[in-house]
């Protein structure tokens, strides 16, 4: 036993020295393997414990286990030192230099305007509704009393989607409209399709606002873009009149454009409202543009046929709907003369809002 115990201390000292001399984590791991690995020197000494006489094993085991604990403690301490050293910057830092200010993001101007619109409507009891951007002809046109010969249903105005194999997504077609009848898919041309979906699922009364992205086959220029944002308002209840429509429109636009804003209605035609109106407004913003009145939205009383299409009795329920472009509101409010600026992701432009 004396020879066995005499081997422990020199082996422990050699291991401690090699651990301490390791210059990096890789060298330290190699030293650990050399002594404490499956075939390491200290592990081999442990295996010799079984060859000792039975009465000598307890004392020898206690001594060698104490040495092993010392080695593992020293190994962990030096590993922590090397890990800290590895995490330090390769070059010294000058903590007297000024810090780098974090750049804070902000909401896109269109998002800001949308939230202002939603906030105004919520003040008078409206809730936000949403629907799919990929629509079918029924919800986008048929249910809204838009006949098959209406210009909006032509491929020159609307993005139709070609039928695709089951394993492949649909693709845009610009030259030929799909001939699948009412089930043909398209990118919605207005958010009015959502009012149909809501009325199909919900019994009156209905009071919703529908902001969202819409698509039309326009060539991009200063005032047109193939994709833009629109907001639709719908109110259905008993005894709803044009007076309710006018009061709501005045309230919302005064909230958005200032308390001095004036509103006027002009007769117009929309297939899904009767009577229908164009809305003009006048304010300091329009006069700054050199105009007294500027067209801003379309509206009207919901056509009885639309109510019949969704299962509402037009003899009991009446309602109004109106919609306008969010980009147009933002351009007027902020004095922007090119709609394309909203979509170019130019921080020089976006940082102004």
């Amino acid at each position: 036993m004396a020879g066995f115990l005499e081997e422990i201390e020199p082996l422990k000292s050699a291991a401690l020295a090699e651990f301490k001399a390791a210059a990096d984590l890789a060298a330290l791991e190699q030293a650990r393997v050399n002594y404490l690995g499956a075939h390491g020197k200290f592990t081999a000494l442990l295996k010799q414990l079984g060859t000792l006489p039975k009465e000598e094993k307890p004392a020898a085991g206690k001594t060698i286990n104490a040495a092993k604990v010392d080695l593992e403690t020293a190994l962990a301490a030096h590993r922590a030192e090397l890990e800290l050293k590895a995490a330090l910057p390769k070059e010294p830092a000058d903590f007297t230099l000024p810090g780098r200010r974090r750049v804070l993001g902000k909401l896109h101007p269109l998002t800001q305007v949308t939230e202002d619109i939603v906030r105004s409507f919520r003040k008078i009891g409206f809730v936000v509704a949403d629907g799919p951007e990929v629509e079918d002809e029924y919800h986008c046109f048929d249910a809204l009393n838009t006949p098959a010969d209406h210009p909006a249903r032509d491929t020159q105005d609307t993005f139709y989607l070609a039928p695709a194999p089951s394993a492949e997504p649909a693709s845009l077609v610009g030259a030929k409209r799909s001939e699948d009848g009412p089930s043909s898919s398209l990118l919605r041309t207005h958010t009015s399709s959502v009012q149909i979906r809501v009325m199909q699922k919900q019994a009156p009364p209905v009071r919703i606002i529908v902001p969202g992205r819409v698509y039309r086959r326009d060539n991009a220029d200063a005032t047109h873009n193939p994709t833009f944002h629109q907001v639709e308002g719908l109110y259905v209840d008993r005894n709803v009149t044009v007076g309710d429509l006018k009061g709501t429109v005045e309230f919302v636009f005064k909230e958005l454009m200032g308390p001095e804003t004036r509103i006027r209605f002009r007769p117009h035609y929309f297939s899904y409202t009767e009577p229908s109106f164009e809305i003009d407004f006048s304010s300091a913003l329009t006069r700054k543009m050199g105009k007294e009145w500027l067209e801003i939205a379309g509206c009207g009383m919901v056509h009885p046929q639309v109510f019949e299409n969704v299962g509402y009795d037009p003899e009991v329920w009446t309602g109004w709907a109106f919609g306008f472009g969010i980009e147009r509101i933002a351009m007027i409010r902020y004095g922007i003369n090119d709609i394309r600026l909203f979509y170019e992701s130019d921080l020089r432009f976006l940082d102004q809002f």
Side-chain angles (χ1 to χ4, degrees):
M1 176 176 174
F4 179 83
L5 294 177
E6 288 173 358
E7 293 182 41
I8 295 175
E9 191 60 33
L11 197 58
K12 172 184 170 182
S13 299
L16 290 173
E18 193 165 334
F19 290 167
K20 187 174 182 179
D24 53 38
L25 290 170
L28 183 63
E29 176 62 17
Q30 184 60 51
R32 183 196 70 80
V33 170
N34 290 341
Y35 286 93
L36 297 175
H39 303 289
K41 299 175 183 178
F42 208 82
T43 305
L45 193 62
L46 278 169
K47 293 177 180 178
Q48 295 178 25
L49 190 63
T51 64
L52 296 177
K54 183 177 180 180
E55 64 276 8
E56 297 179 0
K57 285 182 180 179
K62 182 177 180 181
T63 303
I64 198 168
N65 282 331
K68 184 180 179 183
V69 169
D70 291 342
L71 290 179
E72 290 176 342
T73 301
L75 180 70
H78 196 51
R79 180 183 288 114
E81 292 176 6
L82 291 176
E83 287 176 346
L84 178 61
K85 181 180 178 182
L88 293 175
K90 298 297 184 289
E91 297 180 2
D94 184 353
F95 294 102
T96 65
L97 292 174
R100 296 175 181 173
R101 180 174 297 175
R102 293 181 178 271
V103 179
L104 297 179
K106 58 179 70 174
L107 295 177
H108 192 280
L110 294 181
T111 303
Q112 294 181 36
V113 172
T114 300
E115 291 192 351
D116 288 344
I117 294 169
V118 170
R119 193 177 300 113
S120 298
F121 274 97
R122 279 182 168 156
K123 288 181 181 180
I124 51 178
F126 282 73
V127 298
V128 176
D130 194 13
E133 294 181 12
V134 176
E135 265 294 0
D136 54 54
E137 286 188 310
Y138 176 77
H139 289 93
C140 198
F141 298 129
D142 294 333
L144 286 164
N145 198 38
T146 303
D149 59 352
H150 194 282
R153 301 182 70 153
D154 191 274
T155 55
Q156 299 306 310
D157 289 328
T158 300
F159 288 109
Y160 278 85
L161 300 174
S166 57
E168 298 179 8
S171 58
L172 285 174
V173 289
K176 184 178 180 181
R177 170 181 164 181
S178 171
E179 300 298 337
D180 291 346
S183 63
S184 296
S185 296
L186 51 89
L187 298 181
R188 67 183 183 187
T189 59
H190 48 197
T191 56
S192 302
S193 57
V194 180
Q195 68 169 266
I196 299 298
R197 293 185 175 274
V198 170
M199 288 192 289
Q200 286 177 327
K201 296 178 181 178
Q202 176 181 332
V206 175
R207 191 179 295 189
I208 60 169
I209 178 175
V210 189
R213 189 187 299 268
V214 297
Y215 306 84
R216 296 182 187 175
R217 288 199 61 203
D218 287 327
N219 293 322
D221 59 29
T223 57
H224 299 84
N225 205 59
T227 177
F228 57 100
H229 294 78
Q230 192 180 64
V231 62
E232 161 110 358
L234 173 69
Y235 177 39
V236 180
D237 207 335
R238 300 177 189 271
N239 304 316
V240 175
T241 67
V242 173
D244 299 310
L245 169 60
K246 187 173 186 294
T248 303
V249 168
E250 285 186 336
F251 171 80
V252 170
F253 283 112
K254 284 185 177 182
E255 286 266 307
L256 295 175
M257 302 298 188
E260 80 288 353
T261 300
R262 293 183 296 151
I263 296 293
R264 74 179 183 186
F265 283 18
R266 288 183 290 106
H268 194 68
Y269 169 76
F270 297 110
S271 58
Y272 35 86
T273 54
E274 179 59 39
S276 303
F277 308 96
E278 290 278 12
I279 304 173
D280 300 333
F281 86 104
S282 175
S283 71
L285 294 173
T286 61
R287 289 188 286 275
K288 188 176 180 180
M289 299 167 64
K291 299 180 180 180
E292 182 61 33
W293 294 95
L294 189 66
E295 177 188 324
I296 194 67
C299 67
M301 301 301 292
V302 179
H303 198 289
Q305 185 60 51
V306 174
F307 281 153
E308 292 184 6
N309 292 340
V310 297
Y312 288 7
D313 186 348
E315 297 297 325
V316 177
W317 306 103
T318 54
W320 54 253
F322 80 91
F324 52 88
I326 294 175
E327 281 86 348
R328 187 165 177 78
I329 298 293
M331 292 173 75
I332 294 171
R333 282 180 62 172
Y334 300 131
I336 297 168
N337 58 11
D338 195 326
I339 193 174
R340 292 168 292 190
L341 292 171
F342 291 121
Y343 298 98
E344 292 176 348
S345 300
D346 190 333
L347 291 178
R348 295 172 299 177
F349 170 75
L350 298 176
D351 281 343
Q352 300 177 57
F353 304 96

